[in-house]
Every structure is written in structure tokens, then in C-alpha cells.
Amino acid sequence: MTVSTEIFTALQSSVGGRCYPDTFMQPDGNLPTWPAIRYSIVGGETHPDICGTGDGSTDTARVQIDIVGATHASRESVLAAVRTAMANMTTPTTLQSTPRMEYENETKTYRAILDYYIHS
């Protein structure tokens, strides 16, 4: 299972399936119903083994998870669910810092940004 698939599987139930890779924008050009989650692989580290670094099975992925809610309360509820889901993933994860909280004036939404390492 890829890191992206594992993250989607772990987080989708937190927002009724509104869990998206890389963008919130939908194929029709609209934003999703909030709350929603976006996840992006934003870096990581390769860890060579005797077979080299070709298949990624020993890599550590750095993943940014953005949670957006229409209200402060909905953001906080999803944030708690995401933290629990990430802690219970089969592949070990490490939260790198305290989540960053923001208010988006343009969309009138509340955002939490989390930075995780996924240790393959």
C-alpha cells in the first residue's frame, strides 16, 4: 500500500470521505463541502538498504495534512479524529510540531495544518 493510500484509508472516515490528495479543488472547479482534509507528500528521506533505494519501502515520507472546517468547533473535532487516526496507523507516524491554526478570511473557514513523518 502506498503512503497516499494509507493516509486516505486512515483519514477518510473523519470527514465523510472528503479527503483529497494535493488539492481541495474538485473536478467541477468547486471547493468541497467542509469539513474536509487535504494531504500532500512534501518531502522525506531515503534510507538505503542492501537493495538500494529503488522501491521506496524504506523511505520516510513527510506529509502535510490540512484540515478545513466551516467553524472552529468542526475543525477541532476533525483535528482530534485525525490525530487519533494517525496514531493508530499500521505504519508508524510522528507529528513533527504543534498543529498550526489559521482563519481563512477569503473562504471564512478555519484551518489546522499538521506535519507528520510516515516511517516506512
Side-chain angles (χ1 to χ4, degrees):
M1 183 180 316
T2 67
V3 169
S4 184
T5 302
E6 190 170 1
I7 292 168
F8 176 79
T9 301
L11 301 183
Q12 68 172 330
S13 65
S14 302
V15 287
R18 294 181 305 275
C19 185
Y20 310 101
D22 303 321
T23 183
F24 285 115
M25 196 63 64
Q26 302 305 292
D28 60 8
N30 293 316
L31 291 172
T33 302
W34 307 119
I37 296 170
R38 173 182 63 195
Y39 58 94
S40 302
I41 298 173
V42 295
E45 299 174 18
T46 58
H47 299 285
D49 61 15
I50 197 157
C51 298
T53 59
D55 69 357
S57 64
T58 60
D59 294 351
T60 298
R62 184 170 156 242
V63 178
Q64 179 176 314
I65 299 172
D66 296 289
I67 300 164
V68 177
T71 66
H72 178 271
S74 70
R75 176 195 63 193
E76 294 299 307
S77 175
V78 174
L79 175 60
V82 165
R83 290 183 79 156
T84 298
M86 293 299 288
N88 291 324
M89 279 181 49
T90 303
T91 304
T93 65
T94 306
L95 182 62
Q96 294 303 294
S97 61
T98 303
R100 190 171 78 219
M101 308 298 191
E102 297 177 350
Y103 176 75
E104 296 274 334
N105 197 39
E106 188 174 314
T107 59
K108 308 289 190 247
T109 55
Y110 296 82
R111 180 179 308 252
I113 302 167
L114 298 97
D115 190 9
Y116 276 93
Y117 272 110
I118 313 293
H119 307 280
S120 298

